[in-house]
Amino acid sequence: MALLVQKYGGTSVASIERIKQVAAKVAAAKRAGKDVVVVVSAMAGETNRLIALAQEISKLPDEREKDVLIATGEQVTVALLSLALKEIGQPARSYLGHQVRIETDNAYGKACILSIDSTKIVEALKTGEVVVIAGFQGVDENDNITTLGRGGSDTSAVALAAFLNADACEIYSDVEGVFTTDPRICPDARKLAKVSYDEMIELASTGAKVLEIRSVEFAKKFAVPVHVRSTFTELEGTWLVEEDDSMSDVLVSGVACDKNEAKITLLRVPDRPGLAAQLFGPIADAHIVVDMIIQNASEDGTTDMTFTVPKADHQKALAIVERALPAVHAKGIKVDTEIAKISVVGVGMRTHAGVAAKMFEVLAREQINIQMISTSEIKISVVIAAQHADQAVRALHDAFIR
Ligand code: ASP
Ligand code: MG
């Protein structure tokens, strides 16, 4: 029998009313002849509420206990959804991460899934039950509860689909799919019927928040067909699939905007071997992900070095840089949190030239100054002042997509 993994996000389970709606959808899939494994998030706002509780006690809560706490949000929703399913006559069974054994490493708050034991799930499916599994959580080898990072239920769902060899993984939320850009910024944005894993990885990492990035990497690695769609309509959403020939005809499939980064500049760093290692080593040790890095050619033996980090980590990064300052002999530090990273993404760039030039032209016409540039095979990103972000997105969407 075909096996479907369905994941419902926080807004889809935000109230008892909505949980009942989800139960009806799940039961309908089951009636249509599918085996169904459901993964749920916590009710909308719940994870934030729990984090705030911990912060009332401690500014930097102990990571193990924080995971024990924030994993409870999903315990509520698996139970409620299972109850709702049973209530309408659909046998169901809830499981927490450690009960099925979704094993992760021990990086609290950003744990990675290592393996999933499917025994209990498969047994329950055989008896006709729908299996409802708590997203976002797992257990390490010493039985400590771990969580996967914000938005981690997507990863739980795709990982389950991979380990269970499901026919598809449906990600239900309040958005209808993956759009060419954020429809709230650009009214001309339209829904993509399909998008390649690589494009989605770039879009997710450059600010399109439909899917958590690690879930896309997982989907790519195990070639899981993922269908991103809305809980509240019956419309087809967007399919994440492997790249095919038809895709390379499209130069740019999406324009993404990320306002969650901050820029740190070290002024007049001596230009000699080992400095970058001295600086970025401790930042990596603190698990801070550095995105763009720019170092200029030096004229007088010194150079400015600029890099971006997640805004949420920029204080931490700054403290590390300040500590390293005497050793790297920089003349000073500048921080800018009012930046936006705008990216154009498309597999067509592999085979077509001129996308970067056109992007710069469009921004020039809009009189928008580019502060940083970085590229990959299928993406061009620029950092600009945050105040011009929406204008840039609209102009680029207009130029490349409409
Ligand atoms: N409840 C978790 C969060 O809010 C996980 C998720 O929703 O995917 O981040
Ligand atoms: Mg979510």
Side-chain angles (χ1 to χ4, degrees), residues 282-300:
I283 294 180
D285 291 343
H287 299 286
I288 297 173
V289 181
V290 176
D291 181 26
M292 288 193 199
I293 304 178
I294 287 188
Q295 187 198 299
N296 266 326
S298 64
E299 274 292 332
D300 57 353

Side-chain angles (χ1 to χ4, degrees), residues 6-325:
Q6 297 188 326
K7 181 254 167 177
Y8 292 91
T11 51
S12 306
V13 293
S15 64
I16 295 299
E17 211 39 58
R18 289 199 176 166
I19 288 174
K20 287 181 179 172
Q21 279 178 26
V22 166
K25 266 183 116 82
V26 173
K30 181 79 183 126
R31 271 198 310 278
K34 307 262 179 22
D35 275 339
V36 189
V37 171
V38 185
V39 175
V40 284
S41 291
M43 292 168 105
E46 181 61 10
T47 310
N48 288 342
R49 188 185 72 86
L50 294 167
I51 292 172
L53 285 180
Q55 275 166 347
E56 276 183 43
I57 294 178
S58 156
K59 262 209 181 109
L60 265 180
D62 175 83
E63 293 188 313
R64 180 184 184 277
E65 305 315 330
K66 185 178 170 194
D67 273 8
V68 172
L69 174 70
I70 63 180
T72 60
E74 277 72 13
Q75 179 161 353
V76 172
T77 45
V78 285
L80 290 174
L81 180 59
S82 302
L83 285 172
L85 282 162
K86 289 185 217 249
E87 193 63 21
I88 56 172
Q90 172 56 57
R93 183 180 294 257
S94 67
Y95 281 120
L96 300 178
H98 67 86
Q99 290 178 300
V100 275
R101 216 164 168 88
I102 297 181
E103 196 163 314
T104 71
D105 60 19
N106 62 1
Y108 295 117
K110 47 178 100 168
C112 287
I113 295 178
L114 302 175
S115 68
I116 297 178
D117 182 351
S118 56
T119 321
K120 283 189 190 138
I121 303 172
V122 172
E123 270 169 22
L125 290 175
K126 270 193 204 140
T127 69
E129 287 174 326
V130 164
V131 181
V132 185
I133 299 177
F136 181 52
Q137 56 175 265
V139 62
D140 75 4
E141 60 173 347
N142 298 316
D143 292 331
N144 297 300
I145 292 173
T146 54
T147 66
L148 310 181
R150 299 309 304 270
S153 306
D154 292 346
T155 307
S156 307
V158 175
L160 276 158
F163 279 98
L164 294 167
N165 204 8
D167 296 275
C169 180
E170 296 184 320
I171 305 278
Y172 285 96
S173 74
D174 53 359
V175 293
E176 282 174 25
V178 180
F179 281 72
T180 50
T181 195
D182 186 341
R184 285 166 307 183
I185 298 178
C186 179
D188 294 327
R190 53 188 167 70
K191 187 169 69 188
L192 293 158
K194 61 179 179 179
V195 60
S196 74
Y197 295 122
D198 285 336
E199 285 172 318
M200 195 61 226
I201 287 171
E202 295 287 12
L203 287 169
S205 68
T206 48
K209 280 177 278 300
V210 244
L211 272 181
E212 203 260 338
I213 173 127
R214 272 207 261 165
S215 71
V216 190
E217 285 159 358
F218 229 105
K220 176 183 160 143
K221 191 161 161 203
F222 296 95
V224 179
V226 177
H227 189 182
V228 181
R229 58 193 310 190
S230 164
T231 309
F232 307 107
T233 70
E234 294 299 318
L235 296 174
E236 279 277 305
T238 303
W239 280 93
L240 251 68
V241 290
E242 288 189 76
E243 192 174 327
D244 64 41
D245 288 345
S246 75
M247 291 175 172
S248 57
D249 298 341
V250 181
L251 226 49
V252 171
S253 7
V255 180
C257 172
D258 188 350
K259 293 179 186 162
N260 291 312
E261 286 191 12
K263 189 176 79 170
I264 299 178
T265 304
L266 272 87
L267 301 166
R268 316 249 51 89
V269 187
D271 189 18
R272 61 172 163 77
L275 275 181
Q278 245 169 340
L279 186 63
F280 292 107
I283 294 180
D285 291 343
H287 299 286
I288 297 173
V289 181
V290 176
D291 181 26
M292 288 193 199
I293 304 178
I294 287 188
Q295 187 198 299
N296 266 326
S298 64
E299 274 292 332
D300 57 353
T302 68
T303 169
D304 292 349
M305 197 180 271
T306 304
F307 59 97
T308 63
V309 293
K311 235 182 229 176
D313 286 336
H314 91 275
Q315 300 282 15
K316 218 160 103 186
L318 200 57
I320 294 169
V321 173
E322 273 165 357
R323 242 175 286 136
L325 210 55

